[in-house]
Amino acid sequence: MTDSVANEAVEIIRIYDLLYSFGITANYSGFFHVSYGVYLAAKQPERLLLIKKWLYPEVAKRYGTTWNDVEHNICTITAGVWNNSRSRLEQMARCALPDRPSASRFLGILADALHTDHAA
């Protein structure tokens, strides 16, 4: 296994653990979409600026689906986290969230949490 493949695997496992901490498990189809989306956003945060053109299509390609399905599944996960773990999400965001975050904001919060140790 090359170093880059090993590093990707370690990052993905950290993202899985982060999602598990919200009660999101792999039985949700969006689990893997969110995981890979967070991974991409952590590597290149600017992807969040053009999420429908630069992030969703890449996730869709990896999982053999459409960007619309990716968007829907990420929004479903975001809603679940918002409804069940809002305070934890706000803790990771380091601010109050008056409304449910958009998919790009949600992915950004999680990506940032991975690199600032707010995921614990």
Side-chain angles (χ1 to χ4, degrees):
M1 186 171 358
T2 67
D3 285 342
S4 65
V5 172
N7 289 341
E8 179 179 338
V10 168
E11 282 296 301
I12 293 291
I13 289 168
R14 289 183 65 217
I15 295 165
Y16 288 175
D17 289 342
L18 178 58
L19 292 175
Y20 295 145
S21 77
F22 283 112
I24 304 300
T25 59
N27 63 321
Y28 293 94
S29 59
F31 177 87
F32 297 102
H33 297 167
V34 169
S35 300
Y36 193 56
V38 169
Y39 173 75
L40 293 173
K43 280 180 52 175
Q44 290 182 289
E46 61 272 13
R47 283 181 181 266
L48 296 171
L49 297 173
L50 296 169
I51 195 165
K52 290 182 181 181
K53 293 184 185 254
W54 200 10
L55 193 134
Y56 292 162
E58 188 70 25
V59 174
K61 180 178 161 185
R62 182 173 179 120
Y63 292 102
T65 189
T66 67
W67 73 264
N68 296 68
D69 287 339
V70 170
E71 178 180 42
H72 174 78
N73 289 333
I74 291 174
C75 287
T76 299
I77 296 290
T78 304
V81 168
W82 179 251
N83 291 330
N84 298 315
S85 302
R86 180 179 177 175
S87 62
R88 178 153 167 68
L89 184 62
E90 288 179 329
Q91 177 187 7
M92 283 185 190
R94 297 183 305 252
C95 66
L97 300 170
D99 298 309
R100 185 177 84 194
S102 65
S104 62
R105 177 100 191 259
F106 177 69
L107 294 175
I109 290 167
L110 297 183
D112 181 62
L114 284 175
H115 295 290
T116 58
D117 293 327
H118 283 87

